[in-house]
Amino acid sequence: MANEKERPGWDEYFMNIAEVVASRSNCSRRHVAAVIVKEHRIISTGYNGTPRGVKNCFEGGCPRCNSETPTGKNLEECLCSHGEENSIVQAAYHGISVKDGTLYTTYSPCLLCAKMIINAGIKEVVYKERYSIDNTSMRLLKESNIIVRGL
C-alpha cells in the first residue's frame, strides 16, 4: 500500500524511545537517557537526574546544575546520576541481567558510564550525539571490544 508510513528500523525505533525517556529527566542542564535492549526487547531505561528520594535537580537538588559552572567542569560536585548509569542500576534493582545487551543513549557515555557499561557486560553502545568530553571513554569502550556506533 503506497500510503502506509514506512516503519522505522530498530536503531531509529530504540533511539526515538530513548529521546522520549530523556523527557523525564529532572536535570536542569541536559536531558539524557539510555535504553538497554536484548533481542529487540527493552529490558531497562534510565534518565539523568538526582538519586531516588533526593530533591529533583530542577527544584534545586543539585547545586552544580543550578550554578553557572561551565559544561565539563566540577563534575565531582554534581549529584545527578547519568542515564546510562540509571538504566544499568534500574535493571540490577529489579534483578534483570544486561549482559550482552545493546545500550542506546542520547549522548555518548562519559568515562564513569563507560566503565559501568564494560563491567555490566553490555556488548554494544549506540549513541545519537557525541558528548564533548568522551575521548577517554570511547577509547576504553573500543579497547574492551564493545561495538560503538553513532547514528
Side-chain angles (χ1 to χ4, degrees):
M1 297 182 185
N3 292 338
E4 280 191 45
K5 183 180 177 186
E6 187 175 318
R7 293 173 67 192
W10 289 114
D11 285 344
E12 182 183 359
Y13 174 69
F14 291 122
M15 192 60 73
N16 286 344
I17 292 170
E19 289 176 331
V20 171
V21 173
S23 71
R24 287 283 307 155
S25 169
N26 70 51
C27 182
S28 56
R29 287 195 172 214
R30 186 184 311 235
H31 293 186
V32 180
V35 174
I36 302 175
V37 174
K38 288 173 81 171
E39 299 176 7
H40 296 184
R41 299 287 180 254
I42 296 170
I43 61 168
S44 187
T45 66
Y47 52 84
N48 63 324
T50 53
R52 182 180 287 132
V54 175
K55 189 188 302 186
N56 286 326
C57 185
F58 63 80
E59 298 169 323
C62 179
R64 182 196 172 271
C65 288
N66 289 292
S67 72
E68 298 296 320
T69 303
T71 299
K73 302 293 182 192
N74 302 333
L75 296 174
E76 68 282 357
E77 296 174 8
C78 184
L79 302 182
C80 294
S81 297
H82 291 185
E84 303 94 330
E85 176 184 4
N86 277 331
S87 65
I88 293 167
V89 171
Q90 191 66 16
Y93 183 84
H94 291 286
I96 300 168
S97 172
V98 298
K99 184 177 184 239
D100 296 326
T102 297
L103 185 141
Y104 288 85
T105 181
T106 54
Y107 282 87
S108 55
C110 71
L111 182 57
L112 175 64
C113 289
K115 293 185 287 185
M116 293 178 111
I117 288 165
I118 293 164
N119 286 338
I122 290 170
K123 67 177 181 179
E124 183 175 21
V125 172
V126 181
Y127 65 89
K128 183 169 183 178
E129 294 183 49
R130 284 287 301 258
Y131 185 40
S132 59
I133 57 169
D134 73 351
N135 291 334
T136 303
S137 58
M138 295 297 262
R139 181 184 56 74
L140 199 62
L141 289 167
K142 289 176 183 176
E143 183 180 327
S144 299
N145 295 316
I146 293 174
I147 299 164
V148 179
R149 297 185 293 118
L151 291 185

